[in-house]
């Protein structure tokens, strides 16, 4: 008889890795799947709040994250208009660490906990059988079928062929880049301007993450207003680094999709952003 896992987790980002780690820690036989190749750059602010950091540590990721030497952050600054920034102390120790470094580190810990991790393995279908779920996958040109008693969807707020509710198109795009040679204090800085907002935060190795959510028109205009100043010029950092800095890698612009409220799936339960992503353009869940 073929192996039947206790749980298959679809999506090996932070949410999926956390779910797999929690279950493996309870003695479950877990399979973690993701169709993407790791390590990878991902459009992400790469800022872990004190609450997120504590959660990862409670799951057993403390040493793995600490080994990456993340940047420690103590303050937040908010810039808008032409006035002085609003600065507040964070309610605890936050950290900045790139997804390119952290995702593989979490996968290694999940494997040490006893789970199986397969990346570049896309899930193409999930179906119910008598005593388990059938999980169909494709890796390269080969297909493979797994069986699990439970299936957890952790593929985030983006589109997936497994989603029962399709995400709506948006006029916004997300974009991210890493830079070296940028001197920053231990703070996350947010710039709000017509057409979007941009965040900057130190990450490991002396780098700086610059990520933005921009209306497509603002994104197109940013290339003509590159620079490090406030307003749309700040968005230009992502397209044309100013003198004295160096680009350390960037991810391609990604169109934003705002998921509709999801009804409960008959095939999977959800983890991470799957239950209902918060729209980055408002304060309410999408």
């Amino acid at each position: 008889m073929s192996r039947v896992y206790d749980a298959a987790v679809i999506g090996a980002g932070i949410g999926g890795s956390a779910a797999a780690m929690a279950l493996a820690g309870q003695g479950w036989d877990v399979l973690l799947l993701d169709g993407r190749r790791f390590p990878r750059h991902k459009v992400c602010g790469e800022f872990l709040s004190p609450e997120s950091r504590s959660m990862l540590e409670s799951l057993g990721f403390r040493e793995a994250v600490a080994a990456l030497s993340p940047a420690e952050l103590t303050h937040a600054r908010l810039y808008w208009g032409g006035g002085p920034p609003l600065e507040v102390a964070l309610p605890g120790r936050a950290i900045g660490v790139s997804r390119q470094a952290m995702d593989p580190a979490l996968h290694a810990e999940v494997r040490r906990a006893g789970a199986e991790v397969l990346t570049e393995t896309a899930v193409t279908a999930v179906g119910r059988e008598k005593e388990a779920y059938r999980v169909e996958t494709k890796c390269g040109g080969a297909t493979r079928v797994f069986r699990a008693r439970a299936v957890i969807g952790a593929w985030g707020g983006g589109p997936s062929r497994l989603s029962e509710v399709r995400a709506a198109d948006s006029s916004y795009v997300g974009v991210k880049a890493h830079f070296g040679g940028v001197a920053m204090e231990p703070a996350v800085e947010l710039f709000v301007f017509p057409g979007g907002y941009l965040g900057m935060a130190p990450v490991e190795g002396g780098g700086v993450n610059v990520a933005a959510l921009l209306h497509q028109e603002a994104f197109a205009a940013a290339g003509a207003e590159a620079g490090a100043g406030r307003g749309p010029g700040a968005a230009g950092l992502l397209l044309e680094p100013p003198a004295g800095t160096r680009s350390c890698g960037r991810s391609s612009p990604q169109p934003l999709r705002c998921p509709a409220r999801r009804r409960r799936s008959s095939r999977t339960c959800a983890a991470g952003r799957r239950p209902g992503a918060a729209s980055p353009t408002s304060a309410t869940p999408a």
Side-chain angles (χ1 to χ4, degrees), residues 81-174:
L86 172 65
E87 181 168 342
V88 296
L90 296 173
R93 184 173 66 89
I95 58 175
V97 59
S98 71
R99 295 295 298 274
Q100 187 180 30
M102 187 168 68
D103 285 337
L106 299 188
H107 296 170
E109 289 302 304
V110 171
R111 289 188 177 98
R112 290 190 186 97
E116 184 174 358
V117 181
L118 297 178
T119 58
E120 299 184 72
T121 303
V123 175
T124 57
V126 175
R128 181 67 172 165
E129 295 183 341
K130 284 186 177 181
E131 299 180 357
Y133 289 92
R134 174 187 176 93
V135 182
E136 300 178 13
T137 69
K138 187 172 184 179
C139 180
T143 60
R144 190 175 177 186
V145 176
F146 300 93
R147 288 174 174 81
R149 295 181 180 88
V151 178
I152 298 174
W155 56 79
S160 169
R161 70 183 69 192
L162 302 179
S163 295
E164 294 188 358
V165 178
R166 295 299 177 186
D169 290 332
S170 169
S171 56
Y172 287 83
V173 296

Side-chain angles (χ1 to χ4, degrees), residues 8-28:
V9 181
I10 305 171
I14 296 175
S17 294
M21 188 72 166
L23 294 174
Q26 296 298 315
W28 286 40

Side-chain angles (χ1 to χ4, degrees), residues 184-202:
M184 282 196 69
E185 297 180 18
V188 55
E189 299 187 350
L190 298 175
F191 300 81
V192 181
F193 45 81
Y197 65 87
L198 176 144
M200 297 176 61

